[in-house]
Amino acid sequence: MRHLNFIAVALLAFLCASSANADPHPAGFFSHKFNGPSKPVTENGITTFQISDEQCSNVDYGDGRGESDCYNGNVRSVLSGPSFTMGDRVEYRFDIRVDSAFAYPGYRNGHAVGFLRGGWDSRLRIASWEGTFLHNFFYMLKLDATNGITFLGQQCQSPDRFGEWVAFSMKVRWAADEKGWIKVSCDDRVIYGDEDVATNQAPHCYITNQCEAGIHKNPKKGFFILGPVMSGFGTEWEKYLEDSGGSAFTKIQPGGITIEIRNILVAKGAVLYEPDDVAVIRQLQERLAALGCDPGKADGAPGKRTRDAALACSQFAAGRLPAELNVATARTFLELYQPRTGDQVAAPVEGALPAPELIVTTREEWTKEKGKATQITSLLRSRIEGGKKGEDSVEFNISGKYSYSSENFLDLLLVIQPPVGKTMPKALVACPGARTEIYEGTHHVAITLRKEGEDFVAQGADCIIANIPATPAFMAKFLLTSFQDIAIGLISSGDVELLENDGLRAFMQKVAEGKIVIR
């Protein structure tokens, strides 16, 4: 017993000595109260964070839910940073080094479809900017061994560079209205930017991103958290047994996950357009003027006239020109408008797709038949840029028999995912061509399309749309009026290559080109 007591005292003395020898954390940062056993340690200007499998905190969140990290399967080792209020202009800068042995691959998240390429997401965040309400995260810097370090799906560092330092910078004007802006750079390369936006609202709002879609929250202040947090499966982990492996925790590799961060700086007074950015805008304005367009005065300020001219001065193949001119895309616009042989205003480009009326991003969430299967059933989810609340997404099944010789469907059916009820609406029965598909005990309206030459025409569309609830009615109408925009978005973004059936990929190409029309 005396020997065991000696060991305990020696161990305590070692831990106290180690803590005493550690440097203070960077000014304005302190160890978070919900950290697990392994807390951040700062030595020689480098803060080391480590998380290990199921090493969590039992400290109650204190919000009345009776929950904690251990209860929800979360593991964290983080520093709490300075708070901010709306109107602040702030730069967050730090260098990150991920252990080269890092192996967590991430996962395919159905909630992220339409936001992230292929819906591939990560439960591991290494920095976050959060509001004061529950499930009120604005932005996250994420990490996985498949996509590397990412910010809103944009790559900051590739996995093959793990073990090297990468410099991260986020400059932002925090705002609850359209006076906000944000610019994110890695190693001085801009990877994301947005302007004239409320930066206290999450661009990627879905539940696993700690954001509740459709619920408006308007925090007046927020908090910066730095360091790794591996999210678990929460209180409903038993629903995800295949992924969770029978635990609320996301599995962490043996030996844990180690991340180092240095040169941590949070400074007020950030500006969006720095001298180099102003010079790029001025050069673009001069180039647009030389082409005979009207960008306004060459002052380096991207006003409405400059933005309109940049988007309309010349025609480009679909997908080449960014959707808007901002601090993140200015250099791309300038490169595209560099002089080239035979350049002229509104010069058509060979192979250009028609300009879409709406910018639509689409992801395949599930498919039954892959490769060269002739019977196709695929679940797609589309997001409509700039769509108003309730009319910014469409989820549908496309199914039918495909002919590889004619490169077209022989028959085609569009099934709207939001159900129309537990029974087929009586008024719908009288509509020509109307039918429903039953999924999990609910009826989903199915639109039958009749083949006319190479095109497809919906049967009884007006009647069907008039006799189903508002949400599926909007989706049905959108599909029949804007299907080409869906196809153009798939082709121009390159996401068509993520469709797992060869026939569906070829079909979407022909629809985008206008060779097949759905109406």
Side-chain angles (χ1 to χ4, degrees):
M1 179 65 72
R2 189 175 297 172
H3 179 64
L4 292 177
N5 287 337
F6 172 77
I7 292 176
V9 170
L11 178 59
L12 179 61
F14 172 76
L15 292 174
C16 291
S18 298
S19 177
N21 290 336
D23 299 336
H25 292 308
F29 288 83
F30 56 91
S31 185
H32 199 284
K33 63 181 179 180
F34 296 145
N35 281 334
S38 181
K39 296 174 173 54
V41 175
T42 300
E43 290 184 294
N44 300 320
I46 297 176
T47 303
T48 301
F49 305 81
Q50 186 173 50
I51 55 175
S52 301
D53 200 33
E54 300 191 18
Q55 296 301 298
C56 56
S57 165
N58 271 310
V59 175
D60 190 283
Y61 291 154
D63 56 11
R65 292 180 295 160
E67 298 179 9
S68 67
D69 272 358
C70 287
Y71 184 79
N72 287 324
N74 302 328
V75 178
R76 77 180 75 208
S77 176
V78 301
L79 293 177
S80 291
S83 62
F84 52 86
T85 58
M86 298 304 107
D88 288 347
R89 292 181 293 111
V90 188
E91 179 181 14
Y92 302 88
R93 179 177 286 276
F94 45 88
D95 302 337
I96 313 166
R97 182 164 64 187
V98 178
D99 186 353
S100 59
F102 174 74
Y104 167 65
Y107 73 114
R108 190 176 186 281
N109 181 7
H111 295 288
V113 172
F115 294 107
L116 301 176
R117 187 179 180 88
W120 197 259
D121 203 355
S122 175
R123 292 189 177 92
L124 177 61
R125 61 182 186 268
I126 55 177
S128 60
W129 293 263
E130 313 169 12
T132 52
F133 300 109
L134 185 65
H135 298 146
N136 190 205
F137 283 48
F138 310 145
Y139 302 102
M140 294 184 190
L141 189 63
K142 293 186 176 184
L143 174 64
D144 63 70
T146 303
N147 293 315
I149 300 174
T150 57
F151 185 91
L152 292 176
Q154 303 303 307
Q155 190 177 75
C156 175
Q157 185 185 52
S158 60
D160 61 355
R161 288 191 56 206
F162 287 162
E164 302 175 19
W165 289 101
V166 59
F168 174 87
S169 168
M170 178 173 124
K171 297 180 180 180
V172 58
R173 184 186 190 278
W174 293 111
D177 53 24
E178 293 185 353
K179 294 180 181 178
W181 47 257
I182 180 172
K183 179 171 69 172
V184 176
S185 305
C186 291
D187 287 338
D188 295 322
R189 173 179 58 89
V190 180
I191 64 168
Y192 178 82
D194 205 0
E195 301 172 33
D196 304 325
V197 294
T199 47
N200 72 342
Q201 303 298 317
H204 287 188
C205 187
Y206 49 89
I207 190 63
T208 44
N209 244 14
Q210 298 296 317
C211 181
E212 297 173 287
I215 300 177
H216 183 70
K217 300 169 185 176
N218 190 28
K220 305 301 182 186
K221 64 182 296 185
F223 306 95
F224 172 45
I225 306 296
L226 185 61
V229 180
M230 181 69 87
S231 295
F233 293 87
T235 58
E236 298 181 326
W237 61 268
E238 291 178 327
K239 291 183 178 180
Y240 310 99
L241 286 177
E242 184 177 346
D243 295 322
S244 70
S247 167
F249 293 88
T250 300
K251 191 70 176 176
I252 294 177
Q253 65 199 66
I257 293 171
T258 301
I259 297 168
E260 295 174 305
I261 300 181
R262 68 183 184 187
N263 297 331
I264 302 171
L265 171 71
V266 178
K268 291 190 175 182
V271 296
L272 178 60
Y273 282 87
E274 297 173 281
D276 287 349
D277 302 310
V278 172
V280 169
I281 294 294
R282 184 178 293 113
Q283 292 175 54
L284 175 61
Q285 290 167 328
E286 292 169 349
R287 179 61 188 149
L288 292 170
L291 286 170
C293 300
D294 181 16
K297 184 180 178 181
D299 56 3
K304 185 177 186 305
R305 285 168 69 182
T306 300
R307 295 176 194 271
D308 290 346
L311 290 169
C313 191
S314 291
Q315 292 180 7
F316 293 89
R320 291 194 67 202
L321 203 65
E324 61 182 40
L325 172 63
N326 60 36
V327 71
T329 62
R331 285 167 175 77
T332 301
F333 273 96
L334 181 59
E335 290 170 4
L336 288 169
Y337 276 108
Q338 288 303 314
R340 56 189 186 273
T341 304
D343 201 4
Q344 57 181 334
V345 177
V349 175
E350 183 179 354
L353 294 176
E357 293 185 13
L358 297 169
I359 304 299
V360 184
T361 57
T362 301
R363 302 289 185 271
E364 184 175 62
E365 188 166 341
W366 172 85
T367 185
K368 186 176 181 180
E369 299 89 4
K370 302 178 182 180
K372 287 193 173 297
T374 56
Q375 184 61 44
I376 297 174
T377 306
S378 179
L379 175 60
L380 302 176
R381 181 178 293 177
S382 298
R383 293 191 62 82
I384 306 159
E385 185 174 305
K388 64 181 182 180
K389 182 180 177 182
E391 295 186 358
D392 56 356
S393 65
V394 175
E395 190 174 1
F396 65 100
N397 273 91
I398 181 169
S399 64
K401 190 171 183 180
Y402 185 80
S403 167
Y404 285 89
S405 59
S406 65
E407 294 186 327
N408 201 352
F409 279 91
L410 300 176
D411 56 77
L412 194 57
L413 195 69
L414 299 177
V415 183
I416 312 302
Q417 278 306 298
V420 294
K422 292 187 177 180
T423 60
M424 183 174 179
K426 292 181 179 179
L428 195 60
V429 176
C431 296
R435 54 179 280 196
T436 59
E437 297 284 327
I438 301 176
Y439 302 133
E440 297 181 350
T442 58
H443 285 252
H444 299 249
V445 68
I447 301 174
T448 304
L449 295 124
R450 184 182 68 243
K451 200 164 187 289
E452 294 186 358
E454 289 293 289
D455 299 341
F456 290 90
V457 179
Q459 302 301 290
D462 292 342
C463 180
I464 292 171
I465 291 169
N467 289 288
I468 58 177
T471 297
F474 157 73
M475 293 187 180
K477 186 175 181 180
F478 178 82
L479 290 175
L480 298 177
T481 57
S482 302
F483 201 90
Q484 187 178 20
D485 289 342
I486 294 175
I488 291 173
L490 277 166
I491 304 304
S492 61
S493 67
D495 288 332
V496 69
E497 297 303 323
L498 299 176
L499 301 179
E500 296 194 68
N501 185 276
D502 297 351
L504 186 55
R505 289 200 301 271
F507 175 76
M508 287 298 187
Q509 178 72 47
K510 295 184 78 170
V511 172
E513 294 171 354
K515 296 176 180 177
I516 297 174
V517 176
I518 292 179
R519 61 183 189 276

